[in-house]
Amino acid sequence: MQDDVFSCQGWLFKLGVERFVLVTTKLDPKFKDEVSKVPGGQNIKRCFQCGTCNVGCPVREIEEKYNPRKIIRMTVLGMRERVLSSDFIWLCSACYTCQERCPQDVRIPEVMNALKNLAVKEGYIHSSFAKRMEVLWTHGTLYPLSRFDNTKREELGLPQIPSGNKEVQELFKLTGLNKVLGAEGEK
Amino acid sequence: MARHYELSARKVAKKLGVELVDVQDFACCGFPIMSVDQETALLMAARNLSIAEGLGLDICTICNGCASTLTEASKELMHNDRLREKVNEKLQKIGRTYKGNVKVKHFARVLYEDVGPEKIKSQVKNSLEGLKLASHYGCHYLKPSDVYDKFEDPEFPRSLDELISALGAETVEYEEKMQCCGGVILDIDDKIALAMTQRKLDHVKAAGVDAIILICPLCGSMYDRNQRVVERRFNVAYNMPVLYYTQVLGLALGMNPKDLGLDMNRVKTSDLLSKLSV
């Protein structure tokens, strides 16, 4: 367990309820400012915790560990490490239901993007994205076509689609994203 | 991946007088890496926009994700001069610039706004009367709605339903119609993503429709390609045909099912076709 909370055995413990107390001195009060400077994170401080995002969220309906209201609260409180190293920030399906309904226009899917961008900078890239980046680096597209695919396309009268767009690699190098790729991109 | 979608879209575009120009230089729209680095994602979108601009073309996509990403980028770069300058500083290093003049439209929106349900209705040769269809718009066709100039109501959209009605078929309402397919997080957590897909299939099945009609290849891969996976995992049977709008449109316009790639749909469409006697 990270040291920003501790278990508190108060009177509720007798009823089987374990309380976790936040260690406020371990929080990073500047985290919300950091997030608000990343594109998409601008409106995070507007959140007044109404929970409209949670109510309409199709991911949360299935998996409770994705809790957008809570993620924003944790971010505003300054639980930096816990948020950036979490797996839950990667679970937004980008359906934008919450964004349309949020009374404070917090733009939650965009906040999630801002948090994920920061997480990547801290070395917490989700493994599926690491793979995705390699495919994009090599092919310039997420669904590269094999020679078999292109033969099939020809049979159907569809134009050939080339793979291996080098300009995408140039763009990755210009923004430093190639470093995320490790050895492959450093070449 | 969705060759049947592309094939049928090209066929109906030609028939309805929409001229499409293929651009070999296009690469990924940028959506898949917004989670990793939004700056690079925007550059990738801007690169595609600059290529289209150089050719004097607007962009038409058949994917909801590409449509929203490119529309958002084109809007930001049109109105935000400072951002456009910043983007161009980098684009110029790969020999490109973007002035901000490209419009982006999903093909379904072209069909709705530029061709129009009335014209489509007038060209129908084989009416789809008797078919009950469930429309699935897909999140990024409608949202974020400010990007799309509010051309549709994100909670109660009508355009795809009107396009389906124009073919003579009946559109059927069902529970949680606007629910997301889950495709974006399939690689992150397939348990959640497939459960999202299952919910929609449940609701559509309960509504007693002949097929789901959609306009996004990612939604298509979840409901059609992964339907068998969902059936196995949740021990259910749906056998629910999933067709792209361009396929049913083509059928109504009198085209041959094979020319519209109906043999490439994973869930068999033969029962549906027998109802139409084509």
Side-chain angles (χ1 to χ4, degrees):
Chain A
M1 185 177 288
Q2 278 157 308
D3 60 357
D4 55 353
V5 294
F6 65 87
S7 176
C8 171
Q9 299 191 354
W11 66 273
L12 280 167
F13 197 71
K14 289 178 194 146
L15 303 172
V17 179
E18 194 176 13
R19 281 195 297 179
F20 289 97
V21 175
L22 205 56
V23 184
T24 48
T25 50
K26 298 273 184 189
L27 301 172
D28 179 353
K30 293 204 174 103
F31 185 40
K32 55 184 179 296
D33 304 311
E34 189 184 356
V35 174
S36 70
K37 286 189 187 98
V38 181
Q42 294 92 330
N43 297 354
I44 187 161
K45 291 183 224 169
R46 290 183 181 176
C47 175
F48 54 39
Q49 292 285 296
C50 70
T52 302
C53 46
N54 277 14
V55 176
C57 179
V59 176
R60 182 172 163 70
E61 196 134 7
I62 285 154
E63 174 53 67
E64 291 228 337
K65 80 179 170 193
Y66 182 67
N67 184 330
R69 184 196 61 77
K70 192 168 166 185
I71 294 172
I72 290 177
R73 185 67 188 136
M74 288 170 82
T75 305
V76 173
L77 277 171
M79 301 172 81
R80 190 175 189 280
E81 275 311 296
R82 198 175 276 273
V83 170
L84 294 185
S85 65
S86 73
D87 55 353
F88 51 69
I89 54 172
W90 298 90
L91 291 176
C92 170
S93 75
C95 76
Y96 290 93
T97 305
C98 56
Q99 179 152 321
E100 296 294 330
R101 296 177 184 173
C102 175
Q104 286 292 88
D105 194 28
V106 173
R107 307 182 77 85
I108 295 133
E110 294 176 15
V111 170
M112 293 304 155
N113 279 339
L115 290 172
K116 285 179 277 184
N117 285 187
L118 280 175
V120 169
K121 289 209 170 82
E122 296 286 302
Y124 294 121
I125 188 167
H126 190 278
S127 59
S128 80
F129 275 93
K131 273 182 226 141
R132 196 178 276 198
M133 296 296 295
E134 272 170 38
V135 177
L136 275 175
W137 170 266
T138 316
H139 301 282
T141 167
L142 207 53
Y143 303 102
L145 299 185
S146 64
R147 194 185 292 175
F148 175 78
D149 291 319
N150 270 318
T151 313
K152 278 272 169 205
R153 290 180 64 84
E154 201 171 0
E155 283 166 21
L156 293 165
L158 296 172
Q160 300 290 293
I161 295 181
S163 165
N165 196 308
K166 294 290 172 231
E167 280 182 35
V168 172
Q169 295 188 357
E170 293 305 313
L171 290 181
F172 278 21
K173 284 182 195 161
L174 283 169
T175 56
L177 201 57
N178 58 321
K179 296 198 178 82
V180 177
L181 288 154
E184 178 83 29
E186 296 284 356
K187 279 177 213 163
Chain B
M1 194 171 93
R3 274 196 298 266
H4 48 327
Y5 185 19
E6 182 188 346
L7 184 70
S8 54
R10 286 180 188 273
K11 292 262 162 72
V12 296
K14 198 171 175 193
K15 185 102 174 180
L16 294 168
V18 180
E19 191 196 341
L20 300 171
V21 181
D22 284 289
V23 180
Q24 294 278 312
D25 283 339
F26 279 160
C28 175
C29 71
F31 177 77
I33 60 163
M34 265 152 93
S35 297
V36 181
D37 183 48
Q38 291 175 93
E39 189 198 356
T40 316
L42 178 64
L43 277 172
M44 285 168 76
R47 179 187 166 274
N48 290 319
L49 293 170
S50 79
I51 292 168
E53 190 176 59
L55 297 166
L57 297 168
D58 286 329
I59 294 180
C60 172
T61 95
I62 56 170
C63 169
N64 289 9
C66 301
S68 81
T69 309
L70 295 171
T71 307
E72 189 164 3
S74 79
K75 251 191 110 119
E76 279 180 2
L77 295 170
M78 187 191 291
H79 299 298
N80 188 339
D81 296 342
R82 266 193 64 199
L83 183 69
R84 195 172 60 243
E85 274 168 34
K86 254 181 78 184
V87 162
N88 275 327
E89 268 172 38
K90 295 233 160 75
L91 278 186
Q92 272 150 14
K93 291 189 180 142
I94 59 163
R96 302 197 183 274
T97 38
Y98 181 57
K99 297 192 196 81
N101 299 320
V102 173
K103 287 197 204 80
V104 182
K105 263 194 191 186
H106 193 292
F107 185 55
R109 192 174 166 189
V110 172
L111 290 174
Y112 186 70
E113 290 186 333
D114 300 286
V115 180
E118 281 310 310
K119 186 181 170 190
I120 288 172
K121 200 172 180 178
S122 71
Q123 302 227 12
V124 168
K125 282 206 184 105
N126 296 327
S127 168
L128 305 188
E129 211 180 323
L131 279 193
K132 289 168 126 188
L133 303 175
S135 66
H136 170 79
Y137 287 76
C139 307
H140 293 187
Y141 182 62
L142 311 161
K143 300 173 276 187
S145 60
D146 46 4
V147 167
Y148 287 120
D149 301 320
K150 304 204 177 338
F151 98 96
E152 258 288 19
D153 181 333
E155 304 275 358
F156 303 101
R158 288 303 313 155
S159 57
L160 181 56
D161 290 86
E162 283 178 35
L163 285 170
I164 294 170
S165 303
L167 311 179
E170 181 192 345
T171 60
V172 178
E173 293 299 315
Y174 58 97
E175 207 181 326
E176 291 188 1
K177 184 174 173 179
M178 299 317 297
Q179 210 226 359
C180 171
C181 72
V184 166
I185 52 167
L186 183 66
D187 289 348
I188 309 274
D189 191 324
D190 64 341
K191 264 199 236 110
I192 303 176
L194 292 171
M196 288 165 79
T197 306
Q198 190 240 347
R199 265 179 102 92
K200 168 80 65 162
L201 289 168
D202 259 357
H203 292 144
V204 170
K205 189 84 181 168
V209 298
D210 296 302
I212 310 178
I213 305 301
L214 38 72
I215 49 175
C216 172
L218 187 57
C219 304
S221 81
M222 293 305 283
Y223 298 131
D224 192 31
R225 263 162 52 114
N226 284 323
Q227 194 174 123
R228 188 60 70 74
V229 182
V230 171
E231 287 180 329
R232 266 194 231 119
R233 189 168 290 193
F234 295 90
N235 198 21
V236 279
Y238 294 111
N239 200 23
M240 174 61 65
V242 181
L243 279 77
Y244 290 103
Y245 177 72
T246 48
Q247 292 183 301
V248 277
L249 170 59
L251 288 174
L253 294 175
M255 294 174 191
N256 183 318
K258 195 148 192 256
D259 290 342
L260 297 163
L262 264 94
D263 54 333
M264 287 181 252
N265 293 51
R266 283 292 166 89
V267 181
K268 292 289 159 256
T269 53
S270 38
D271 287 354
L272 186 93
L273 292 176
S274 64
K275 279 198 180 178
L276 292 175
S277 61
V278 287

